[in-house]
Amino acid sequence: MTLLNVENLTVQFDTDEGRITAVENVSFSLEAGQVMGLVGESGSGKSVTAKALMQLNPRNSIYNEQSKISLNLDDGPVDVLSLKTAKELKVVRGGAVSMIFQEPMASFAPAITIGKQMVEQLVLHKNLTKAEAKKLSVDMLDRVGISEAGKRFDQYAFELSGGMRQRAMIAMALSTSPKLLIADEPTTALDVTIQAQVIDLMKDIVADFGMGIIFITHDLGVIAQTADKIAVMYLGELVEQGSVRDVIRTPAHPYTQGLLNSLPKLEDLDKPLTPIPGDIPSPLERPSGCVFHTRCPKVVMGRCNVDIPTSVRVKDGHKASCLLIEDNGGPKL
Amino acid sequence: MIEKPLISAKNLSVTFLLGNNFFGPKLTIQAVADVTMDIPRKSFFGLVGESGSGKTTFGRALLNAVPISGGNVQYNDDEVSYHLERLTKVELKDYRKRSQLIFQDPYAALSPRMTVRDIIAEPLEVMGLTNSREETDERVREIAEKCRLNLEHLRRFPHAFSGGQRQRISIARALVSNPKFVVADESVAALDVSIQADVLNLLKELQKELELTYLFISHDLSVVAHVCDNVAVMYLGRLVETAPTRDLFFRPRHPYTKALLSAIPSLDPDYSGNAQKLEGEIPSPASVPSGCTFHTRCPHCIDICKQVEPLGEQVSEGHNVVCHRWKELDTPEPSN
């Protein structure tokens, strides 16, 4: 059964400089036990998309009328965007949906022990007694590979190393046994050797707990090693999505192609690095037509800067939003 | 032809005082221990290692930005030759022109209250390298053009620019005093991949044009592989392996280098590989393991590794490794 369905999600922010569109018309779905990688550069709207799933975007955010996020839980579907009060929101904030943040030092309270923070949320979400919550917390710390879990339980975040902290963060997010886990750049702040350990841990977790994971990162290598499917975002739009193999081996959208080409590859050291030309436009000056046309090497003026592309089927489960694919006979969806 | 070294470090150590213990010995940590390294002129020299390995401290020691506690460092271009551990005030002032640093985070490195022109001109004014405002402006325009900055942007403030543009401003500021030696400390780590390639290409072009020597500090091995001629791998303040880039990437000898390489996530979704995963984390430099400092995490650790500190051995020209067992572990085809 589909765990998560996002349809036509559009998020705008009212700012002093005007209304900014951070996410536009994004649709995707996720099955239980599936890992979806959400890839994009800074400013592409990937974090805003993820935060929308928990309604964590700031107060000046506006979701338009067509936006729909539905979460299928055991006791029926939940319409996430219609939740209003803190009590209603509990289900998506730590209940059925958990989030792992990028910087574990910034997301643990510095003056409260790790254990106390874990117990607090378990008591809140799971109706456990403090003793039960402590036992579960220590078990979870142990489960994510933290040695001497009983001792770590009483320590503060600053006493743990970066890798340990991220493991503790994962343990905390998993302890309420969420159905959907959102991991926002969970390995970006870590060293490669520690990153490899955390990636292995995340793979184990999916196998054991069978939850759906949305893995946000800008590192395509990390995605290739962890995800089942990929969604690529650029300037708030989902430009391509499909299975990891399809998207990485045969990228259809020029942006995805450019992203893959600009990565330094170890297999071919002589190949010059090819950046995507130009800079990401400011969100205040969204390009007309296809948002990528200002940097696209294949741009056709008169077409790409005028018309707005729609999602086109490349092959089963592999979709891209590019006018050139449309023009070459890609069937509209 | 191997160029003469521009920087030549011999047994360089940097020690930080942690605090005074009135009765006992002073508490210190050795951030850089006994590093010997030659950086050839006009080379793109890479320095890699995990956080806490001492690579930033090493780079700063070469810039005389942290005090050198032991050993010596010689700087030698065609005009001058300095011993960095005992520079006079006049020499230090001159060395500041010849050596520069490009920072990691282009958002934090530029003052939000200064225009781009003022940011780039500041080193010239501080060092008194130009005699008139016209001369300063001329020099700023020249370097800004080389760094592919739009000259009309010089009057703007940094907040108007994206990460890639800001990093180009940082580069222009570093190069405006015509340095010979540039330390680039994680200079592309904060950038998006599509921009990262652009900045790397710019650094390469500028190196050729201005005959620069870089010490390129990075934790991203695939970036280092692409731009550097030589690479040194650091672990807990010590060099474990130094080699020409190709030798290091295609035939690494030290178990730590091998582990670092295999930890890079592959772009191939079906790659399961013979990843030699490292257990645990880098120990604190306040409690350095005995013997080989890597033995606590090394998959090939034997008794000698725990007791005796290994010495550097030469594998081939320019390729040095510090490991007791590199010869027996060296199999042409990595088996696993």
Side-chain angles (χ1 to χ4, degrees):
Chain A
M1 190 179 68
T2 311
L3 172 69
L4 172 75
N5 238 323
V6 176
E7 281 166 49
N8 308 320
L9 179 69
T10 300
V11 188
Q12 293 177 310
F13 293 102
D14 256 337
T15 70
D16 294 343
E17 289 156 275
R19 190 166 283 193
I20 290 175
T21 306
V23 173
E24 192 165 35
N25 229 350
V26 164
S27 303
F28 62 87
S29 64
L30 184 74
E31 311 286 324
Q34 215 176 30
V35 182
M36 184 178 95
L38 197 53
V39 197
E41 295 176 90
S42 40
S44 62
K46 45 193 199 308
S47 286
V48 175
T49 304
K51 283 181 181 164
L53 304 177
M54 299 170 86
Q55 278 209 40
L56 280 179
N57 284 313
R59 277 173 198 279
N60 62 345
S61 57
I62 302 157
Y63 299 88
N64 82 340
E65 310 246 307
Q66 284 83 45
S67 303
K68 196 169 183 309
I69 300 174
S70 60
L71 195 60
N72 283 310
L73 301 178
D74 295 341
D75 29 339
V78 177
D79 181 2
V80 176
L81 292 178
S82 71
L83 305 173
K84 288 283 178 293
T85 62
K87 205 176 158 196
E88 289 173 338
L89 281 164
K90 237 170 83 173
V91 64
V92 290
R93 290 189 181 161
V97 187
S98 276
M99 189 154 179
I100 302 170
F101 297 91
Q102 172 170 4
E103 195 21 87
M105 193 62 219
S107 31
F108 274 115
I112 305 174
T113 60
I114 302 270
K116 203 167 173 197
Q117 296 180 54
M118 292 184 76
V119 168
E120 183 188 13
Q121 51 132 18
L122 280 169
V123 171
L124 196 68
H125 288 294
K126 290 272 141 183
N127 291 323
L128 297 178
T129 63
K130 282 199 172 169
E132 289 166 341
K134 178 172 179 180
K135 189 175 173 299
L136 179 60
S137 302
V138 174
D139 282 352
M140 283 312 300
L141 288 173
D142 192 49
R143 173 70 191 76
V144 296
I146 291 180
S147 55
E148 300 176 88
K151 191 179 134 204
R152 300 286 178 204
F153 181 85
D154 289 320
Q155 286 185 324
Y156 295 90
F158 73 87
E159 294 178 89
L160 271 58
S161 65
M164 279 298 179
R165 254 181 245 141
Q166 199 55 291
R167 282 168 193 268
M169 193 78 219
I170 293 173
M172 181 153 148
L174 292 181
S175 59
T176 56
S177 41
K179 296 278 178 263
L180 175 66
L181 181 68
I182 302 167
D184 190 354
E185 306 260 7
T187 62
T188 309
L190 305 175
D191 282 312
V192 270
T193 56
I194 311 299
Q195 169 174 285
Q197 295 171 2
V198 172
I199 288 176
D200 279 358
L201 175 64
M202 305 267 303
K203 282 184 181 168
D204 284 356
I205 286 165
V206 189
D208 284 14
F209 293 75
M211 63 196 38
I213 298 187
I214 294 181
F215 202 118
I216 303 173
T217 177
H218 63 272
D219 188 333
L220 282 160
V222 172
I223 289 290
Q225 293 306 306
T226 47
D228 304 304
K229 60 188 219 174
I230 299 192
V232 184
M233 288 188 77
Y234 182 77
L235 272 189
E237 289 184 15
L238 223 172
V239 294
E240 182 163 5
Q241 60 174 319
S243 77
V244 165
R245 282 173 189 77
D246 288 344
V247 176
I248 284 189
R249 293 204 180 128
T250 53
H253 197 282
Y255 175 64
T256 319
Q257 293 166 355
L259 213 51
L260 283 161
N261 276 332
S262 60
L263 285 180
K265 293 179 193 67
L266 279 180
E267 298 80 50
D268 189 0
L269 293 184
D270 293 323
K271 193 170 161 276
L273 297 172
T274 39
I276 300 177
D279 285 300
I280 305 172
S282 144
L284 286 166
E285 300 154 16
R286 268 176 91 77
S288 59
C290 169
V291 282
F292 187 56
H293 87 259
T294 52
R295 300 174 74 193
C296 185
K298 296 175 182 165
V299 62
V300 178
M301 281 318 218
R303 174 90 171 115
C304 297
N305 56 345
V306 180
D307 300 315
I308 294 170
T310 50
S311 199
V312 178
R313 199 187 84 107
V314 181
K315 64 188 256 198
D316 277 340
H318 185 179
K319 296 181 260 185
S321 300
C322 175
L323 292 163
L324 301 179
I325 306 174
E326 260 176 60
D327 293 349
N328 286 329
K332 283 201 182 189
L333 281 172
Chain B
M1 184 189 82
I2 295 176
E3 293 270 350
K4 275 193 286 183
L6 181 77
I7 297 272
S8 181
K10 293 246 161 12
N11 307 99
L12 172 66
S13 298
V14 178
T15 310
F16 291 115
L17 193 60
L18 271 186
N20 271 315
N21 181 346
F22 189 73
F23 298 106
K26 282 182 176 169
L27 297 172
T28 57
I29 54 168
Q30 213 169 17
V32 176
D34 218 9
V35 171
T36 298
M37 182 199 278
D38 281 346
I39 303 179
R41 290 184 191 177
K42 294 175 220 163
S43 69
F44 212 125
F45 202 98
L47 183 60
V48 298
E50 291 174 275
S51 41
S53 62
K55 46 194 200 306
T56 294
T57 307
F58 179 72
R60 298 206 165 182
L62 298 190
L63 293 172
N64 221 316
V66 292
I68 294 168
S69 323
N72 61 69
V73 185
Q74 207 176 3
Y75 170 87
N76 192 354
D77 63 24
D78 286 331
E79 293 156 16
V80 294
S81 169
Y82 293 136
H83 283 278
L84 296 190
E85 70 283 4
R86 46 183 157 89
L87 286 176
T88 63
K89 264 194 172 157
V90 179
E91 284 175 338
L92 178 62
K93 219 174 159 190
D94 183 57
Y95 184 61
R96 290 275 182 256
K97 288 177 217 162
R98 293 168 193 272
S99 63
Q100 281 292 333
L101 176 64
I102 303 171
F103 294 91
Q104 168 170 9
D105 184 354
Y107 290 86
L110 306 177
S111 165
R113 290 162 178 243
M114 291 165 81
T115 62
V116 173
R117 183 256 168 214
D118 289 346
I119 287 170
I120 301 177
E122 197 181 21
L124 295 175
E125 284 157 5
V126 170
M127 296 178 194
L129 295 178
T130 49
N131 299 317
S132 65
R133 198 178 159 90
E134 287 70 41
E135 202 184 332
T136 309
D137 280 341
E138 180 58 39
R139 178 75 194 127
V140 168
R141 272 199 295 273
E142 188 189 329
I143 197 74
E145 221 159 27
K146 282 202 174 95
C147 296
R148 297 207 296 266
L149 289 166
N150 188 336
L151 295 185
E152 280 159 28
H153 290 172
L154 290 177
R155 259 176 285 149
R156 296 197 196 171
F157 289 90
H159 73 89
F161 297 95
S162 67
Q165 286 169 320
R166 284 179 202 222
Q167 199 55 296
R168 291 205 290 268
I169 298 170
S170 306
I171 294 171
R173 174 177 61 183
L175 300 184
V176 75
S177 65
N178 252 330
K180 302 260 192 270
F181 177 54
V182 175
V183 175
D185 192 352
E186 297 275 11
S187 297
V188 297
L191 303 178
D192 280 313
V193 277
S194 74
I195 309 294
Q196 177 180 303
D198 183 49
V199 172
L200 289 171
N201 286 342
L202 176 68
L203 285 174
K204 270 254 164 194
E205 274 166 35
L206 290 168
Q207 181 197 26
K208 286 211 186 82
E209 200 182 329
L210 306 172
E211 307 203 324
L212 299 168
T213 305
Y214 288 115
L215 179 69
F216 186 83
I217 300 173
S218 178
H219 68 279
D220 188 334
L221 289 142
S222 35
V223 166
V224 167
H226 264 268
V227 294
C228 295
D229 316 313
N230 291 286
V231 184
V233 183
M234 222 168 170
Y235 187 77
L236 269 186
R238 290 148 182 86
L239 285 187
V240 297
E241 189 163 6
T242 315
T245 304
R246 263 154 220 281
D247 287 5
L248 191 92
F249 282 90
F250 294 119
R251 208 156 162 213
R253 311 295 171 119
H254 197 283
Y256 180 60
T257 315
K258 291 179 192 172
L260 274 184
L261 286 173
S262 67
I264 303 173
S266 164
L267 258 185
D268 179 0
D270 292 321
Y271 177 87
S272 52
N274 51 346
Q276 306 176 348
K277 295 261 161 66
L278 281 187
E279 298 288 324
E281 297 175 17
I282 191 164
S284 155
S287 55
V288 175
S290 61
C292 171
T293 49
F294 184 56
H295 86 255
T296 51
R297 297 172 79 193
C298 185
H300 309 290
C301 171
I302 53 172
D303 282 344
I304 185 173
C305 305
K306 293 177 188 166
Q307 288 144 12
V308 185
E309 198 174 330
L311 296 173
E313 288 176 52
Q314 193 175 49
V315 177
S316 56
E317 178 72 40
H319 192 162
N320 292 297
V321 61
V322 187
C323 175
H324 287 298
R325 303 186 66 194
W326 72 270
K327 264 186 193 145
E328 48 176 316
L329 295 174
D330 184 41
T331 41
E333 282 297 304
S335 60
N336 204 340

